[in-house]
Amino acid sequence: MASIFSKIIAGEIPCYKIGEDGEFFAFLDINPVAEGHTLVVPKKETDYIFDIDDALLGRMMIFAKKIALAIEEAVPCARIGIAVMGLEVPHAHIHLIPINKEADMYFCNPKLKLAPEEFAATADRIRAKLK
């Protein structure tokens, strides 16, 4: 059965898309720990990030860097934190999170409650910064 991320990539489930290329897809996390919290996923469904072949994983990090630099320009923050856990959805993904301090990366922090208009505005600002 296709993962929720595969359904998002296929357009079966709506998302706040940031960008994509032939191999990867980036979209806002709908349960963000910070404004601009973005997920980067390979289009080819693979459960565990370290099961991705080395060349593809390298390209995934390069794609994630491009997205992270756009987030950093669009959302006030000191850095973009990166996390990979892989327990919540069986489809490898990278979390890109705008942070100002280490505690901003704690996934046990309360999630932001944003209106659809706020998600859309954030996605628009990030997309505008993509190079």
Side-chain angles (χ1 to χ4, degrees):
M1 181 166 67
S3 76
I4 189 169
F5 293 165
S6 290
K7 291 177 181 181
I8 288 170
I9 293 163
E12 297 170 18
I13 296 174
C15 73
Y16 299 97
K17 184 168 93 170
I18 301 301
E20 72 176 306
D21 67 12
E23 297 179 302
F24 309 106
F25 196 92
F27 56 98
L28 292 180
D29 190 313
I30 60 166
N31 292 304
V33 296
E35 180 188 5
H37 180 170
T38 299
L39 302 176
V40 172
V41 302
K43 288 183 173 180
K44 179 182 177 206
E45 190 172 312
T46 302
D47 180 13
Y48 184 43
I49 198 160
F50 295 125
D51 286 339
I52 297 172
D53 75 74
D54 292 350
L56 184 65
L57 184 58
R59 292 190 303 275
M60 185 174 176
M61 289 303 296
I62 291 166
F63 180 83
K65 178 181 177 180
K66 175 181 166 184
I67 301 297
L69 293 174
I71 296 168
E72 193 170 37
E73 283 190 48
V75 178
C77 62
R79 300 254 168 119
I80 300 299
I82 186 169
V84 176
M85 294 180 291
L87 298 173
E88 58 281 2
V89 176
H91 190 139
H93 57 287
I94 296 171
H95 294 263
L96 300 174
I97 304 170
I99 61 172
N100 292 300
K101 59 189 179 308
E102 288 181 15
D104 294 341
M105 290 287 296
Y106 296 162
F107 283 81
C108 58
N109 287 342
K111 306 300 187 261
L112 295 182
K113 301 294 183 207
L114 301 174
E117 304 80 35
E118 293 172 296
F119 277 112
T122 299
D124 288 344
R125 286 196 327 271
I126 296 168
R127 280 193 306 272
K129 300 296 183 179
L130 280 174
K131 298 187 173 37

